[in-house]
Amino acid sequence: CTPQDNMAAGGKFGFQLLPRKFAFMEDRDIKDLFMKWGLQGFLSVQTYTFEKQFQAYQKDDFVLDFLTDPKVLSTLLVPSKKGGFAPLGSAAASVTAMAVPCSIISMEFFDRLHTKGLVHEDGRICGCFDEYHENFTISDEIRKMLLMDESDHYDLYSDEEKEQFLFLLFRHVVLGGGCCQYEDYVGPYMSTVKTIYKELLSVQKDPTTKTLQVISNVFKVTALDDKGNAYYPSEDPDHPQNFSYLLVDPLKRHVTVFSHVYGGSPF
């Protein structure tokens, strides 16, 4: 999607930064875990309001409008590989916006980690011989399942399930940043993922079934410059730990940006 396409589609959703704080970014215990996992200082979350009604089919126009809006460019904080944050500054010449399913509302989704032998009864993660894959050290069965198709458990989750935002969030938390001390027990990963997931997504009760359903739309986004090179969230958008998600609440007309840049490696 390019600015010309966006203007033809109407454009100009009118974004404004909200002074919103997120509990998972303020919580002392979670901050300590983020520090341990190499995420602290490389993770950013901000919320903006917008004025026009949003429909899911408008995702490309919406994301391009967002990443070319002067009020966004001057306030959207982008993590640096060396640590610290700076405003995005440069308007996108084009964007990609991939819809990410987010229909799961229960952490029971991860029960099979226990029942299929990746986690011991006491919550300890099953270890394995050290292996190395794309700069990640793999020394337990969960990371092996997440990264290596040679894993005996690689098919524990289907391709469709691996596209779910809850699974992606779990993967991001487990893999961590460049200086990551991994957990021996699965509990801290689970509690942190649950806290982040609940705070980022909006839910409402279905009036007919009385069950909770997610009303947020989630998009994984990349911005490209006029030469077609990716620059947001990073110049290396294919790295699994470089990501930016836009989470749109169409009722409140809020969009939350959740982004991370892989950095802080001692090497």
Side-chain angles (χ1 to χ4, degrees):
C1 186
T2 66
Q4 290 76 18
D5 299 331
N6 191 40
M7 286 174 70
K12 302 301 170 212
F13 281 85
F15 298 99
Q16 197 82 34
L17 180 65
L18 267 184
R20 177 183 176 187
K21 289 193 173 182
F22 288 81
F24 69 83
M25 295 292 278
E26 306 290 324
D27 182 276
R28 183 172 292 275
D29 292 337
I30 293 179
K31 283 172 83 168
D32 288 346
L33 288 171
F34 282 168
M35 187 70 73
K36 183 180 179 184
W37 300 335
L39 297 172
Q40 186 71 14
F42 299 94
L43 197 62
S44 176
V45 58
Q46 293 171 282
T47 297
Y48 292 77
T49 59
F50 56 93
E51 295 167 2
K52 284 179 65 175
Q53 187 178 0
F54 171 80
Q55 303 278 350
Y57 72 85
Q58 297 171 297
K59 66 179 177 65
D60 294 326
D61 299 323
F62 182 88
V63 172
L64 184 63
D65 200 35
F66 184 74
L67 292 173
T68 54
D69 188 306
K71 289 184 178 176
V72 173
L73 299 180
S74 62
T75 56
L76 180 63
L77 297 178
V78 183
S80 155
K81 283 192 290 189
K82 296 175 183 174
F85 301 87
L88 179 59
S90 304
S94 62
V95 297
T96 63
M98 184 180 74
V100 177
C102 53
S103 55
I104 297 168
I105 55 166
S106 171
M107 293 295 285
E108 291 175 2
F109 179 68
F110 295 112
D111 284 357
R112 68 190 88 166
L113 297 177
H114 293 264
T115 59
K116 298 299 181 180
L118 283 81
V119 177
H120 294 289
E121 205 169 309
D122 63 356
R124 195 160 37 89
I125 301 168
C126 298
C128 65
F129 290 113
D130 279 4
E131 295 186 60
Y132 300 92
H133 181 79
E134 295 179 357
N135 295 327
F136 292 101
T137 303
I138 298 171
S139 54
D140 66 59
E141 293 294 344
I142 288 182
R143 274 178 282 155
K144 194 171 182 179
M145 177 269 291
L146 292 173
L147 287 169
M148 300 185 69
D149 51 15
E150 297 93 345
S151 166
D152 294 338
H153 304 289
Y154 187 74
D155 297 326
L156 186 63
Y157 291 89
S158 68
D159 290 343
E160 290 77 16
E161 287 174 321
K162 288 175 182 176
E163 292 173 358
Q164 283 279 341
F165 184 56
L166 182 60
F167 185 90
L168 295 173
L169 192 55
F170 176 73
R171 190 174 193 257
H172 293 319
V173 165
V174 170
L175 295 182
C179 297
C180 182
Q181 298 177 53
Y182 297 109
E183 296 295 324
D184 295 323
Y185 288 81
V186 78
Y189 292 136
M190 290 300 172
S191 59
T192 304
V193 167
K194 182 178 180 179
T195 300
I196 298 172
Y197 193 71
K198 282 182 70 176
E199 197 169 5
L200 286 180
L201 293 178
S202 301
V203 297
Q204 69 176 15
K205 192 171 281 189
D206 184 288
T208 309
T209 63
K210 306 299 182 192
T211 57
L212 285 178
Q213 59 182 18
V214 177
I215 59 168
S216 299
N217 296 106
V218 182
F219 307 109
K220 188 176 184 185
V221 305
T222 306
L224 296 90
D225 62 22
D226 54 9
K227 294 189 174 86
N229 299 316
Y231 71 94
Y232 176 80
S234 162
E235 293 170 359
D236 181 14
D238 296 327
H239 192 288
Q241 292 298 84
N242 290 334
F243 59 79
S244 178
Y245 296 101
L246 265 57
L247 302 103
V248 183
D249 181 331
L251 297 185
K252 285 184 180 173
R253 293 188 183 174
H254 285 182
V255 55
T256 295
V257 187
F258 180 64
S259 66
H260 175 262
V261 171
Y262 186 79
S265 172
F267 305 110

